[in-house]
Amino acid sequence: MQQKMFVSADDIRSAFSAAMSEMYRKEVPAYGELLSLVAEVNRAMLEHDPQLRSRLERSDSLDRISEERHGAIRLGTAEELAMMRRVFAVMGMYPVGYYDLSTAGVPVHSTAFRPIDEAALNRNPFRVFTSLLRLDLLADEALREEARQTLAARDIFTPTTRRLVETAERDGGLDESDAALFVAEVLETFRWHDRARVDADLYRRLHDAHRLVADVVSFNGPHINHLTPRTLDIDAVQRGMPARGIAPKAFVEGPPTRQCPILLRQTSFKALEEDISFRGSDGTWTTGSHTARFGEVEQRGIALTPKGRSLYDRLLEETRKHIRPTADGSNAAAYVDALAGAFAAFPDEWAAIRKERLGYFSYSLAGDGKNASQQAVAAGDINQLVEAGVLQFDPIVYEDFLPVSAAGIFRSNLGDDEAQHFAESPNQKLFEQQLGARVIDSFEQYAGIEQASIDACLAALAKCVT
Ligand code: OOG
Ligand code: NI
């Protein structure tokens, strides 16, 4: 009975992503410009491609096509990460995947908080890429200690957020007025603070250690550093940015342009230089600047199986062995060509991708199923049922991130310095201790969604062929 009074986690998540979008548009005007470009590109795509339009009409709601699909924050301590996990759980978002970015010269490790079941993803797939600073990778022990103390002295959550998380955990949900209050209070954690909590000298030393360290340690909270709407044509958005006065990063991260999109393609505009102030020892404020916040767009394709993913990783690595994108973007065109060349080896037809078990698909009945072979149904022979036209299949969308791409997004937004090097030290165990939970395995999630669709088809067919 009481359950009925709760607002669903999906609705809280939707309200939260809408509130974040509104706040970020106000805070970062260039982001509003990007949103308007994305809406224009998506509108043009839908006009020129009626087939795409009717497919999307069936699977997504068209009026929400250009909405945000993810954002990102960077946290400073294990306590912040563990509390953030509880905050996101109230919105139906759970930690999926472990991303080690130390290999790419960024001293963080990360996960993505996102909805996991199919219904929740369809309702609103909003995710937050969440990184935790790894002070253990900093060489300077004294600075490490100063940073640690600075972080230990802040609380990024409002008391009301903490109280409502406890309420939700105890009661199993939040009622309407608590849910609205929760969204407003959580928003405070993501807000921009233009007053640093460190002085100019400490900021400079943190910044010299790594720009990202200064970004995480210097402020009162983990400001949202970007939001990312979905586009139906990322190449058009990349081309269209300069005409709107937005400076894009040099190239689109991820796989090249293809007929059958795989995984995730992303691009962003470069982080803006923003005014901040530092408190001096005499209590007066001095001005400085900081670059952290930007806008991004994403276009998603099919989720790959472990086999498909290793092919993707191998082709990407081959490309980068020949030509590594430089920080200044001077070899971007050659990189994009080389990438397209290497990916000629990745099948570009859905049937081939399915046959070779490179990607995950969702199966459904193509007709009434009456002509299905009883034997094939009894044996669960999916290939036979597909060939006979009994079953149809649609790609399952990739809902996660890519470490090489994420590192590229980080780097292009931390300035054009050459990448720094850290000891390569993925440490999922440590991350899970800090998080206070295991991260979910994304392959298992996709395999489960595929299998559920197969089971549903076979159950329906078993009824019609007997
Ligand atoms: C996160 C960068 C990673 C993505 O889309 O791959 C990311 C950050 O800059 O904090 O958001
Ligand atoms: Ni992103």
Side-chain angles (χ1 to χ4, degrees), residues 70-74 129 131 212 225-226 228 264 266 294 296 401-402 405-407 409-410 413:
H70 81 259
I73 51 169
R74 303 156 183 169
F129 190 90
S131 300
L212 190 111
N225 68 55
H226 67 279
T228 309
L264 171 64
Q266 296 153 276
F294 58 97
E296 187 192 10
F401 294 85
L402 298 166
S405 299
I409 296 285
F410 264 107
N413 286 292

Side-chain angles (χ1 to χ4, degrees), residues 283-334:
T284 60
W285 293 86
T286 54
T287 55
S289 71
H290 181 70
T291 43
R293 299 192 301 163
F294 58 97
E296 187 192 10
V297 282
E298 63 166 54
Q299 185 170 12
R300 290 180 181 268
I302 189 174
L304 299 183
T305 60
K307 181 184 174 201
R309 180 54 187 270
S310 28
L311 178 57
Y312 171 81
D313 286 340
R314 184 164 65 73
L315 297 176
L316 188 66
E317 204 181 299
E318 258 169 39
T319 309
R320 287 176 178 244
K321 244 188 242 150
H322 286 306
I323 174 165
R324 188 160 280 278
T326 55
D328 65 2
S330 55
N331 63 356

Side-chain angles (χ1 to χ4, degrees), residues 98-109 134 137 420-427:
Y98 172 74
Y99 303 88
D100 165 45
L101 293 157
S102 66
T103 37
V106 185
V108 301
H109 51 185
R134 290 190 65 183
L137 297 181
Q420 275 167 273
H421 292 284
F422 293 101
E424 183 173 322
S425 59
N427 197 339

Side-chain angles (χ1 to χ4, degrees), residues 40-310:
E40 182 184 289
V41 165
N42 289 354
R43 214 177 306 119
M45 271 299 275
L46 291 170
E47 264 164 33
H48 292 136
D49 193 341
Q51 241 176 326
L52 176 71
R53 190 186 178 90
S54 59
R55 186 160 61 76
L56 290 176
E57 245 156 9
R58 265 181 288 126
S59 59
D60 306 70
S61 52
L62 274 187
D63 55 331
R64 301 207 343 244
I65 222 82
S66 306
E67 274 179 9
E68 281 79 6
R69 295 306 200 270
H70 81 259
I73 51 169
R74 303 156 183 169
L75 302 173
T77 68
E79 197 277 328
E80 290 174 1
L81 179 66
M83 184 64 198
M84 202 52 103
R85 172 177 62 79
R86 295 167 61 196
V87 168
F88 283 133
V90 176
M91 300 190 261
M93 299 158 82
Y94 305 98
V96 180
Y98 172 74
Y99 303 88
D100 165 45
L101 293 157
S102 66
T103 37
V106 185
V108 301
H109 51 185
S110 319
T111 190
F113 288 96
R114 68 163 175 88
I116 46 179
D117 69 58
E118 232 187 324
L121 284 163
N122 287 338
R123 173 76 178 75
N124 183 324
F126 188 71
R127 332 153 170 80
V128 178
F129 190 90
T130 303
S131 300
L132 177 60
L133 179 62
R134 290 190 65 183
L135 285 177
D136 59 307
L137 297 181
L138 292 195
D140 181 340
E141 211 170 299
L143 185 65
R144 205 157 65 203
E145 185 50 28
E146 241 178 309
R148 204 190 55 73
Q149 283 178 16
T150 307
L151 287 169
R154 73 178 187 182
D155 186 354
I156 63 171
F157 302 98
T158 68
T160 306
T161 299
R162 289 185 182 273
R163 176 174 65 76
L164 290 174
V165 165
E166 277 163 22
T167 304
E169 287 173 348
R170 187 192 58 225
D171 299 349
L174 294 177
D175 66 20
E176 212 171 300
S177 69
D178 275 351
L181 182 59
F182 176 79
V183 168
E185 291 285 327
V186 172
L187 204 62
E188 291 308 310
T189 296
F190 291 80
R191 193 182 289 288
W192 174 246
H193 302 271
D194 60 5
R195 291 188 159 187
R197 56 186 280 112
V198 300
D199 62 24
D201 172 63
L202 179 54
Y203 177 88
R204 187 187 46 74
R205 287 183 291 124
L206 294 167
H207 189 276
D208 288 350
H210 195 289
R211 281 165 176 263
L212 190 111
V213 178
D215 184 55
V216 176
V217 177
S218 305
F219 300 93
N220 286 326
H223 41 260
I224 180 88
N225 68 55
H226 67 279
L227 284 177
T228 309
R230 170 191 184 182
T231 179
L232 302 172
D233 185 352
I234 199 164
D235 297 304
V237 174
Q238 175 80 357
R239 281 192 305 271
M241 278 195 248
R244 291 195 175 233
I246 338 180
K249 76 186 282 303
F251 62 93
V252 175
E253 294 287 348
T257 312
R258 295 163 45 90
Q259 292 296 320
C260 300
I262 55 173
L263 298 173
L264 171 64
R265 302 185 72 214
Q266 296 153 276
T267 186
S268 59
F269 68 75
K270 298 234 178 115
L272 309 168
E273 194 168 316
E274 301 181 81
D275 291 341
I276 57 168
S277 46
F278 303 102
R279 193 199 293 275
S281 49
D282 58 359
T284 60
W285 293 86
T286 54
T287 55
S289 71
H290 181 70
T291 43
R293 299 192 301 163
F294 58 97
E296 187 192 10
V297 282
E298 63 166 54
Q299 185 170 12
R300 290 180 181 268
I302 189 174
L304 299 183
T305 60
K307 181 184 174 201
R309 180 54 187 270
S310 28

